[in-house]
Amino acid sequence: MQLAPVAGHIGAEVLGIDLTQDISEATATFLRQALDDRLVLFLRDQSLDLPTLKRATTVFGPLLRVPYVKPSPEDADVIAVLKEADEVRIGVFGGDWHSDFSFLEAPPGGSLLYGEDIPTYGGDTLWSNQILAYETLPDDLRSIVDGRGAIHTGGPYGRQNAPDATVATSRSIGISRGNSDADREVLHPAVRQHPTSGRRALFVNPIYTRRLEGMSESESRPILERLYAHATRPELTCRFRWTPGSLAIWDNRSTMHYAINDYDGQRRLLYRTTFAGERPV
Ligand code: SIN
């Protein structure tokens, strides 16, 4: 088992593991440690069906069913991330920088995404290291976020912050909109500590963070914009070129990610599972 970094500060390809075989405790420990170190792992040439994808997910935590996104008809623990070739000039699932579902009391610990049908070009995914984002914050921003909370809501799924009804999104992924329970505000620390590595990561979210604790939305906005610009600097990121049979595993506690929507006219299908996390501290 070996790790080959794919960028300076985040991401590594894992070599020498076939997830269709039994996953020994030594392999599971290697993968968990590698995820703590590199935050995103990539395994190529896997031949996973949904049960083996789910089994691999439980190496990292219990399976979690996320709200507001319809699961695949094949399996309630799996989301089919699909855009059909004829769906052009529309938004895609995950097409902005975000961590997943940060508006939940206990946001996911991470996710696995398995490439099934991949465009011949385009459709890459980016991840960004939020531990390094925190460590390299300018002093004035660090003094604002240290010890402060941030308020998150499930904006895109709710009523108050729902997207404009005229914004076209993929018909191939069932998103439930207009749920008033998604407008509920949840307070999380703007800097969180990782439960196993102990490292501190910036934890604000361009999609779900509404404002910083003790500030109005308009006071928060310019600060959040500076935080997001810093948190997504290219030096903090890696970019993955999908191939059929490749698997990405990411730590949702200390990364953000972005699905690049540049493959109109081609079909893209990936299967996604999620593992549970804890209330951020
Ligand atoms: C997501 O945000 O989970 C989707 C990522 C992708 O489609 O690349």
Side-chain angles (χ1 to χ4, degrees), residues 34-40 129 131 199 249-251 254-255:
L35 190 62
D36 277 3
D37 290 344
R38 296 303 303 177
L39 309 180
V40 193
N129 179 339
I131 294 171
R199 297 194 288 173
I249 304 168
W250 68 88
D251 176 345
S254 43
T255 65

Side-chain angles (χ1 to χ4, degrees), residues 4 24 38 81 91 105 125-127 181 197 200 229 232 271-272:
S24 67
R38 296 303 303 177
V81 178
E105 302 268 340
T125 308
L126 304 171
W127 282 266
D181 60 332
S197 72
R200 288 155 66 96
T232 57
Y271 290 109
R272 194 188 123 129

Side-chain angles (χ1 to χ4, degrees), residues 81 92-96 98 100 111 113 123-127 242 250 257-260 263 268 270 272:
V81 178
V92 289
F93 184 64
D96 284 299
H98 65 288
D100 292 324
S111 269
L113 192 61
D124 297 358
T125 308
L126 304 171
W127 282 266
W242 291 96
W250 68 88
H257 56 283
Y258 184 115
I260 302 178
Y263 54 95
R268 182 177 186 268
L270 302 98
R272 194 188 123 129

